[in-house]
Amino acid sequence: MKLPKKLQIGPLRYRVLHNKRTDILLNNADHLGETWVSKSEIRLSTALTGDALAETLIHEICHAINDVSGVMDWLGGEQEERLVRSISPYWLMVLRDNPKLVEAITR
């Protein structure tokens, strides 16, 4: 899977990092992915491939959206994580099961 180098999420442009340096940072935090809002970075482990990589990318995009949209202001960290964990696999399914969706809504 070829990942985009950058993603526009609301007013911010996030860098998508998926390399050995990112692995070191993630191992220190014991995560396979994380969103650093203050640095506008989405970090993904190189151990992730295929479906796991795709779902983790969407998971981290959801975190970025929640932060930019203000959801984090009213939903605590643990609740927000549960929300993202429950919804991100379904976003992946919707996008995969409806390949013409992105084309239709971005015209």
Side-chain angles (χ1 to χ4, degrees):
M1 170 184 202
K2 183 166 171 54
L3 295 173
K5 292 183 189 252
K6 295 186 178 192
L7 289 170
Q8 188 71 36
I9 301 174
L12 303 176
R13 182 173 297 274
Y14 279 77
R15 291 187 313 146
V16 178
L17 305 173
H18 184 243
N19 55 49
K20 294 293 181 190
R21 182 177 177 278
T22 302
D23 286 343
I24 293 167
L25 295 170
L26 291 172
N27 285 336
N28 290 339
D30 194 31
H31 295 104
L32 291 174
E34 66 184 4
T35 301
W36 274 71
V37 176
S38 63
K39 293 187 176 190
S40 298
E41 291 179 351
I42 291 176
R43 299 172 179 177
L44 303 166
S45 170
T46 60
L48 295 167
T49 61
D51 291 343
L53 178 58
E55 195 279 323
T56 303
L57 176 58
I58 290 173
H59 178 103
E60 297 307 328
I61 290 168
C62 288
H63 281 305
I65 290 169
N66 287 345
D67 188 76
V68 170
S69 68
V71 168
M72 294 299 290
D73 294 340
W74 54 269
L75 195 61
E78 187 176 317
Q79 288 179 319
E80 190 268 347
E81 181 63 32
R82 279 189 274 159
L83 172 67
V84 169
R85 280 187 183 172
S86 66
I87 202 167
S88 58
Y90 291 96
W91 271 116
L92 180 58
M93 286 187 282
V94 166
L95 293 169
R96 284 192 172 162
D97 293 345
N98 302 281
K100 294 182 181 179
L101 173 65
V102 173
E103 180 184 330
I105 62 177
T106 58
R107 288 186 190 172

